[in-house]
Amino acid sequence: MATGAGATLTSTDTRTLAARAILEECGAGAVAVHKAIRAGATTSAVRASRESGKRLLCVAPTTRILKETVEAASDGEAVRVPGNHECPLLAEEIEAFPVLADLPLSLPDCSKCPGYDGCAITEILRRPDFEVAALTYAKVQALMLSGAKTSKKIRQILGKADYVLLDEAHLLGFGSVPSVPVGPLPEVPERFRVLSKVRSMWLELLARHAEVINELQEKATNGAASQHLSRHALVPDPLTWKALSGAWSELRKLAKSGEMARADLLRLRDAIEILSYPWATVHFVSEDEGRSGHIQISGSHGKGERAISEFLHDVVPYAGHVYVSGTLVEPHEGYFAELSGKAVRPVAFPDIMRSSERVTLIPDTWSLNAGGFARKLPAIIDQIRQISEREREPIYCLCPNVKKSLVIRKKLQEAGIKDVFVDYYRSDASIGVTRNERICIAVGLAELPSNALDPLARGKDEYERWLDSRRRRVQAVHAATWQSINRVRDPKGVTPSRIYLIGVRLDEVRELATWGPGRQATVREIRDGKTPAGGPWRSVKFSIEVEEEIEHCIIFGEDMKRSHENQRRVSEMVEKIEYYDDALINSEKRPILPIIIYREKG
């Protein structure tokens, strides 16, 4: 296989050829690549770029994706640009003070480091003619915010890329931001003058927006889920670059002093980040399964997006911008074009290995909501036990959030149920990487508080912003769920995989599995009413529509009239199951198989 600058295409691999066609179509423009989960688009793009003698820069949300996907696809030739925390000198401090790993770290003067010539941090400087380079979105932001000479040199080298592949690009519009609950920050020792100033600035911010905070708190008592509870908040005198640098320096010193608890250090960290930008957001966040909540102040989503946009505009403006994801969706129309500063064309990467056809989705006959988890827990554990006994192989189990994953892990241990790896949606192990299991149990959908995306919502009035927030939430929940449960999919399309969705009904599974260009959540029904306390209550249901459907999985209980290329009939699936208990089928829509599939002969 020919590689390197000036190389010509020699591959006959159909996925590599498909990726090369997309790169050629992109040219110096921009494309949004819609694909089936684990179709191999990123891997194939790396190979296609190398074979055609082009330079490819891969940006991904996690280091794990870069190591397991990009470096593997490049036969170890990719130059990874590590985060600052991987600096050998800083690593020694992190080992002594682990909390430093979660704080912004400034690189020491690399030119004076004795390990300069062999350091991974500066490897990109020694390989300016890279074939493939890779870094995280967080590292891009760090490079764009840094005024250091080393960062400037790295930006200049990365600017040579012919293509920039933005992996798992759906996360760009739904990324997290720093948030701090309303209230005073922890007191700091007097010698930390900049941090003392930060604390004073925070108190001034709370005082400036006290009326808004009280308004949102009062509104939240009348049914938070039925309202849009978010307001922009001006930060009148944001931290200057010099003050910001001083704050990070003092925070690191405070962390190493041992005078402050980890949780308080992280609150200070997030407050510093919020106060470094002219705009913040005051909004309500529900908790305890929606039974309570609190007001918090969050940083602007615009800051992280601005760093990515400036990178695309200023560092790699003449490169092709390739947005890739198996759950590609924009938070609003034209979002990717805004980031790139050029038109973005939708394209589809084919599921050449037909891996989707080897995935079977098994719905349940009831829906799990956030408040019903404790009540349904015994039944959930029993369902997991029955599935485990019948599958008799390792299982990947996904839970709505971290807290619930710990509960289920404990209950499975108490019940003596083994070979079930319990994880949660949005973990590092549930996006962009492979797993060895071929059986997945999904307990409900990914959990996201009802008002979580209020700060992102758009609209001319509160009602439109409420509706837009709920629309974005549906898209975010579907993306996180679909990404996670498909970790058990065989990318080669050889070994079948089965995904049991406990507490997810057939109609929900249909929409969850619908992906492709033009994916939209359109309003199906809006219901209004009164809560038991007499307050207003409102909910909305959406239907998922796409212009071109790219996933073609097998869904037990699928409507026979639903048009799916290569969709197998339910009756064919029943014939493959030697015995099942008809008493467990309690849905009005037959034929629907139960969540438990009995494969033994009767």
Side-chain angles (χ1 to χ4, degrees), residues 573-585:
M573 297 305 298
V574 172
E575 292 172 2
K576 294 181 178 294
I577 300 172
E578 296 165 313
Y579 172 72
Y580 67 94
D581 188 350
D582 185 70
L584 291 178
I585 303 178

Side-chain angles (χ1 to χ4, degrees), residues 321-367:
H321 300 167
V322 185
Y323 298 89
V324 180
S325 176
T327 52
L328 197 60
V329 62
E330 296 180 277
H332 59 264
E333 187 176 356
Y335 175 78
F336 293 142
E338 293 170 6
L339 289 182
S340 286
K342 42 185 154 183
V344 179
R345 299 189 301 277
V347 297
F349 183 81
D351 184 10
I352 293 171
M353 307 309 291
R354 303 178 73 174
S355 62
S356 296
E357 296 175 25
R358 303 293 280 168
V359 176
T360 301
L361 305 171
I362 306 166
D364 211 333
T365 53
W366 58 279
S367 293

